Amino acid sequence: MVQTVPAPLTLEAFFEHVPDDGRFELRNGVVVEMQPTGTHEQVAGFLAQQLAVTIHTNALPYLIPRQAILKAADSDLSGYNPDVVVLNKDALKNEPLWSKRSTLVEGKAVVLAIEVVSTNWQDDYLLKQGEYERLGIPEYWIVDYLGLGGKRLIGNPKQPTLTICELVEGEYQIRLLRNQDPLVSRAFPRLNLRVDQIFAAGQENS
């Protein structure tokens, strides 16, 4: 349970008042508790597992933390907690809040951020895409395994879609992947995965 404190909160106050057992974000000074479904966690867990195997097999200097807060680029009132985030271990020494707060203030250590879409799909497609672009995160995946996003974003009729956002000259260039499309990633060029395999992880035990 989150202790009631006056809003808006700064990130520093957020760290002091939010418990460690749970996933929370700070958005414009308001604490948001993340309560994903089981199938949402199956998809996020599957991706983390596949990426971890690739990291280990290729001896990449990366790590996948249990959780990490990405501070908004131009505000002390927002910090985001991606479903999966891959960090470059060598760059963490330049992050002043990492060792104490598992928080990134510049985003330069982030190799890849992933959000698995829930019913509040606007957060992933609109809010976080803009925030991660401003932070300079080179690659961002929006995994819409249920096809919940707006038609202008994933097409009509809506269908399960994986959106890859790659940073080019400070702006995200967008690719939409569906069905049996291979997941071609600049961050993980040796990842051997089709998007339908990712979507299928959300159907297991359902």
Side-chain angles (χ1 to χ4, degrees), residues 115-134:
E115 298 288 359
V116 180
V117 176
S118 300
T119 52
N120 54 340
W121 55 266
Q122 292 93 339
D123 291 346
D124 300 324
Y125 281 103
L126 304 177
L127 172 66
K128 293 185 179 180
Q129 181 176 322
E131 291 288 357
Y132 295 167
E133 184 180 67
R134 280 190 288 273

Side-chain angles (χ1 to χ4, degrees), residues 188-206:
F188 283 90
R190 296 184 181 180
L191 183 65
N192 184 17
L193 199 60
R194 300 189 318 269
V195 295
D196 62 327
Q197 294 173 299
I198 300 170
F199 302 149
Q203 305 301 319
E204 295 174 4
N205 302 319
S206 62

